[in-house]
Amino acid sequence: MTSARLHLDGKDYELPVVRGSEGETGIVIDQLRSSSGAITLDPGFTSTGACRSAITFIDGAKGILRYRGYPIEQLAEHSDFAEVAYLLLYGELPTQEQSAAFRADLTYHSMIHEDMKKFFEGFPPNAHPMAILSAMVASLSTYYPGTEEESNEINFVRLIAKVRTLAAYAYKKSIGQPTIYPRNDLSYCANFLHMMFAVPAEEYVINPVLVRALNMLLILHADHEQNCSTSTVRMVGSSRANIFASISSGICALWGPLHGGANQAVLEMLQMIADDGSGYQKWIDRAKDKDDSFRLMGFGHRVYKNYDPRATILRKMAADVLDELGVSDPLLDIARDLERVALEDEYFVERNLYPNVDFYSGILYRAMGIPTNMFTVMFAIGRLPGWLAHWKELREDDSSRIYRPRQIYTGYTERTYQPIESR
Ligand code: SDX
């Protein structure tokens, strides 16, 4: 193992260096504080690795994304979401037998306890579905309190199976329609669309174009290494909290508009630009103005300094699916024009700001009839296998410890309490 040398306050410190399977270099600093008394400081963790992981590889400069070594482009084209969920969780593509068993489990465990349906009655009609989803996922731990050793594997399946049902029930609740039970004769994505859009009064015809599009959307969102919500799941999991509490925390982290909440913010931004009608330059200029809080939502990424490969796939998919459905969406035209204008502007070019996964995904969800406030729920359904895989990887690593970062204190030095009369 090679090493790096730190020279600090007249002393030299040798720090071990590790190399990843793709040649990434990591300086191991876990003994730095005990040997030098110093810590590193990296707000936002732009240069700090939290762990070793074998699940997903991203090369931000080249726009590469691979799940367990398989390029995202191949998985999006040839696989489906249930198979990708299996791959992320267990590290290998399933055999015919493994695939059939996994899919049967997802079907068998798709219902929620009938008593949980009463929970939905307590939420106000305009409750955001992300609030409902995080609350309901945490509540699952009250129905499945089993000890970890005996129940982790089945709880991974329960969560992937039931997250669709919880999401669809939240949607039905928000529009005042009766909930639709999952059906055992439908595939993972077809079952979700049926629960979302079927009504008792008429037969809902499953559209294979939408099933294929949903599979691709969920595949593209399934994992993305140490992003904010996955790091949150690992953080909570590191305290040995149960899987339901850990996933519920990931849902809350994903909700933020800088993260998974961006897909909802993109559609709201595109609609605002459409309603405003004064063209793109005004919005490009606002996005560049440091004194203006407006940002071009769906643009930029902490890791990708090139096109987000998922955005490239989604950009083409949005046009293809709308064509196949025979619908047009003026917001797609606005998105593509906005992308063209932004990428001709040096502000975005010199900062390597390209469309990310959230820029086009909302156009597709809209084409499926999914309301804007459900977009981040769709992201959560897709990201769930990734969260589970990282939680599993952390818990199976005997060397993993509770996440407990340090800080550089900048507050008052010691001072003496003064009674209120003398203040
Ligand atoms: C996701 O981490 C992941 O992998 C996340 C994700 C996943 O799959 O899990 O990929 C999913 O969260 C995608 C990102 C979705 N969020 C958005 O689309 C929100 C808009 N984008 C930004 O807020 C921003 O780009 C972030 C949050 C995505 C990245 O933030 P960083 O890495 O902290 O970058 P930064 O804010 O420091 O920006 C660097 C510069 C700044 O300008 P300067 O100070 O250098 O002059 O770029 C500017 C920023 O002002 N900038 C933008 C911008 N994004 C960055 N300016 C205008 N519009 C933007 N969207």
Side-chain angles (χ1 to χ4, degrees):
M1 181 187 292
T2 55
S3 64
R5 182 170 302 119
L6 171 69
H7 183 76
L8 177 65
D9 297 339
K11 287 183 68 178
D12 285 339
Y13 301 91
E14 291 293 317
L15 300 172
V17 170
V18 294
R19 309 280 183 192
S21 52
E22 289 283 349
E24 296 160 301
T25 300
I27 301 171
V28 181
I29 57 167
D30 60 349
Q31 300 305 314
L32 177 65
R33 188 171 179 280
S34 58
S35 60
S36 73
I39 64 168
T40 57
L41 184 61
D42 182 12
F45 307 126
T46 49
S47 303
T48 295
C51 62
R52 293 176 172 83
S53 178
I55 299 169
T56 291
F57 172 69
I58 299 172
D59 181 322
K62 296 175 185 167
I64 290 173
L65 171 59
R66 301 188 197 123
Y67 296 160
R68 301 288 189 179
Y70 293 101
I72 191 66
E73 295 81 3
Q74 294 180 24
L75 293 171
E77 184 178 353
H78 302 299
S79 189
D80 73 359
F81 180 61
E83 182 174 78
V84 167
Y86 185 98
L87 170 67
L88 287 169
L89 269 173
Y90 302 112
E92 300 294 342
L93 289 169
T95 62
Q96 293 275 10
E97 185 182 354
Q98 290 165 334
S99 177
F102 187 65
R103 293 171 198 274
D105 279 347
L106 293 179
T107 297
Y108 179 77
H109 290 280
S110 53
M111 294 220 341
I112 61 172
H113 193 291
E114 201 64 10
D115 288 350
M116 286 194 86
K117 290 185 68 176
K118 300 186 185 89
F119 293 21
F120 288 90
E121 295 161 18
F123 293 110
N126 62 344
H128 196 288
M130 283 295 275
I132 296 175
L133 187 64
S134 60
M136 296 303 280
V137 165
S139 303
L140 283 173
S141 63
T142 65
Y143 288 85
Y144 307 107
T147 61
E148 280 195 16
E149 291 62 37
E150 68 205 17
S151 56
N152 270 346
E153 295 299 323
I154 185 61
N155 284 336
F156 298 154
V157 167
R158 281 176 175 142
L159 274 161
I160 298 174
K162 296 179 194 308
V163 72
R164 295 168 292 176
T165 313
L166 294 171
Y169 283 15
Y171 171 60
K172 287 296 196 185
K173 148 94 188 156
S174 72
I175 59 175
Q177 284 187 5
T179 52
I180 300 293
Y181 285 97
R183 277 176 35 184
N184 288 359
D185 62 325
L186 295 177
S187 67
Y188 189 90
C189 287
N191 218 341
F192 173 71
L193 291 171
H194 182 262
M195 286 189 278
M196 283 285 287
F197 301 118
V199 289
E202 58 192 45
E203 186 199 359
Y204 173 73
V205 178
I206 305 283
N207 183 335
V209 173
L210 297 186
V211 173
R212 181 72 200 119
L214 184 54
N215 269 294
M216 287 179 74
L217 274 160
L218 296 181
I219 288 170
L220 293 173
H221 286 82
D223 192 51
H224 216 239
E225 52 134 287
Q226 305 305 316
N227 59 85
C228 177
S229 54
T230 301
S231 298
T232 301
V233 169
R234 279 184 172 258
M235 169 76 78
V236 174
S238 77
S239 76
R240 296 298 180 265
N242 68 64
I243 186 61
F244 302 106
S246 303
I247 297 302
S248 177
S249 64
I251 292 168
C252 294
L254 185 73
W255 195 358
L258 294 187
H259 190 16
N263 56 17
Q264 174 174 345
V266 167
L267 252 290
E268 290 163 353
M269 173 187 75
L270 294 174
Q271 191 61 61
M272 181 174 62
I273 293 173
D275 297 343
D276 175 73
S278 58
Y280 311 111
Q281 199 52 50
K282 161 185 169 182
W283 302 100
I284 297 288
D285 294 341
R286 284 193 58 184
K288 293 157 58 176
D289 180 353
K290 286 283 164 254
D291 298 324
D292 190 326
S293 62
F294 176 78
R295 281 203 154 182
L296 208 54
M297 301 311 280
F299 255 73
H301 199 277
R302 172 63 59 77
V303 176
Y304 290 120
K305 299 311 172 190
N306 195 324
Y307 257 92
D308 180 333
R310 301 166 297 176
T312 304
I313 295 169
L314 285 167
R315 187 176 189 274
K316 181 178 184 305
M317 203 171 122
D320 294 349
V321 168
L322 291 181
D323 286 348
E324 287 180 69
L325 294 175
V327 300
S328 67
D329 184 346
L331 297 189
L332 176 58
D333 299 331
I334 290 176
R336 296 177 83 160
D337 286 343
L338 198 56
E339 175 188 358
R340 177 179 46 77
V341 173
L343 296 185
E344 288 168 357
D345 187 298
E346 67 172 23
Y347 172 93
F348 292 89
V349 174
E350 67 186 24
R351 288 171 179 79
N352 297 309
L353 301 177
Y354 291 89
N356 59 50
V357 67
D358 293 305
F359 193 63
Y360 286 105
S361 54
I363 300 284
L364 281 154
Y365 293 137
R366 220 162 94 107
M368 292 177 180
I370 294 170
T372 306
N373 73 349
M374 284 282 290
F375 287 1
T376 311
V377 168
M378 299 309 296
F379 195 142
I381 295 172
R383 185 52 52 88
L384 179 57
W387 288 334
L388 294 172
H390 281 275
W391 190 90
K392 182 172 183 284
E393 185 177 68
L394 173 125
R395 294 296 262 268
E396 290 174 353
D397 175 0
D398 295 335
S399 66
S400 74
R401 305 170 67 189
I402 190 168
Y403 281 23
R404 204 283 184 209
R406 306 308 299 261
Q407 63 168 23
I408 294 297
Y409 175 69
T410 58
Y412 286 107
T413 53
E414 184 175 0
R415 52 181 176 159
T416 304
Y417 180 83
Q418 300 298 322
I420 192 164
E421 298 77 17
S422 65
R423 290 176 206 157

